[in-house]
Amino acid sequence: MAIRLFSERGYPVIGMRDLSEAVGILPGSLYAHIESKEKLLLDIVTSGVQNFTDVIAPIVDGEGTADVRLREAIKAHMRVLAVTLDQTRVTFHQWHYLTGDNLARMIEVRRDYEVLFSRLISEGMTDGTLLGTTRPKVSTLSIIGVLGSATEWFSPTGSASADEIADAMADVVTLGLSTR
């Protein structure tokens, strides 16, 4: 319920009273279930990133050229997005409301996700399937930015499936980096 509320209305405007009303318990009783609203956000965003890392890591560690694995990683990302749209919106767009140790933890989790795409870019430059660049981090962050922006316009019930959208996105990304 918190995921839906944070996704629809935004983390800053949702209070503990809103959360308790949504689940049908008294506000004071909510603290028996969660430590704080920020801890709840941390749990949502870290598990949100982990959803993606869990499916992309085996692709990155797999066989094949980097350009093919990059395409598969983008497809995997979009498939996860299709079933976790609200959580992904919160994950990619509201994590910056975290503070202190919670923010540091989220940055660490996000770095693990970023490293997966960074490895693919690096391996593609090495295997010759992706263009070399003097700024591979820009390529990595651009890909992550494109994938993160899909939360704003992708609909799992739209006219194109997650795989169709992923193929179109992968075409743009891999053709832009392709040496072929």
Side-chain angles (χ1 to χ4, degrees), residues 74-106:
I74 291 169
K75 281 185 177 181
H77 177 98
M78 290 304 294
R79 288 178 190 137
V80 171
L81 174 63
V83 296
T84 64
L85 184 57
D86 283 341
Q87 183 176 15
T88 301
R89 276 192 189 119
V90 175
T91 298
F92 287 167
H93 302 295
Q94 299 192 39
W95 64 271
H96 60 275
Y97 292 113
L98 296 169
T99 60
D101 290 341
N102 293 332
L103 178 59
R105 173 69 181 128
M106 177 53 191

Side-chain angles (χ1 to χ4, degrees), residues 106-178:
M106 177 53 191
I107 290 170
E108 179 183 314
V109 169
R110 182 183 158 95
R111 189 175 310 118
D112 292 342
Y113 171 77
E114 183 181 313
V115 163
L116 295 173
F117 287 97
S118 179
R119 278 185 49 201
L120 289 172
I121 298 296
S122 176
E123 290 173 21
M125 290 168 53
T126 300
D127 74 15
T129 59
L130 299 175
L131 283 174
T133 176
T134 58
R135 303 262 186 231
K137 185 163 183 147
V138 172
S139 297
T140 299
L141 294 176
S142 295
I143 292 166
I144 290 170
V146 166
L147 293 171
S149 73
T151 63
E152 302 302 317
W153 51 265
F154 174 72
S155 171
T157 60
S159 61
S161 72
D163 278 353
E164 291 169 323
I165 295 294
D167 275 332
M169 292 170 84
D171 285 346
V172 170
V173 169
T174 59
L175 291 175
L177 295 171
S178 178

Side-chain angles (χ1 to χ4, degrees), residues 42-91:
L42 176 65
D43 291 346
I44 290 168
V45 298
T46 56
S47 68
V49 173
Q50 197 63 49
N51 290 337
F52 293 99
T53 303
D54 288 348
V55 298
I56 294 172
I59 295 167
V60 174
D61 292 336
E63 299 295 320
T65 59
D67 62 333
V68 170
R69 288 182 291 134
L70 177 58
R71 178 175 291 279
E72 288 306 310
I74 291 169
K75 281 185 177 181
H77 177 98
M78 290 304 294
R79 288 178 190 137
V80 171
L81 174 63
V83 296
T84 64
L85 184 57
D86 283 341
Q87 183 176 15
T88 301
R89 276 192 189 119
V90 175
T91 298

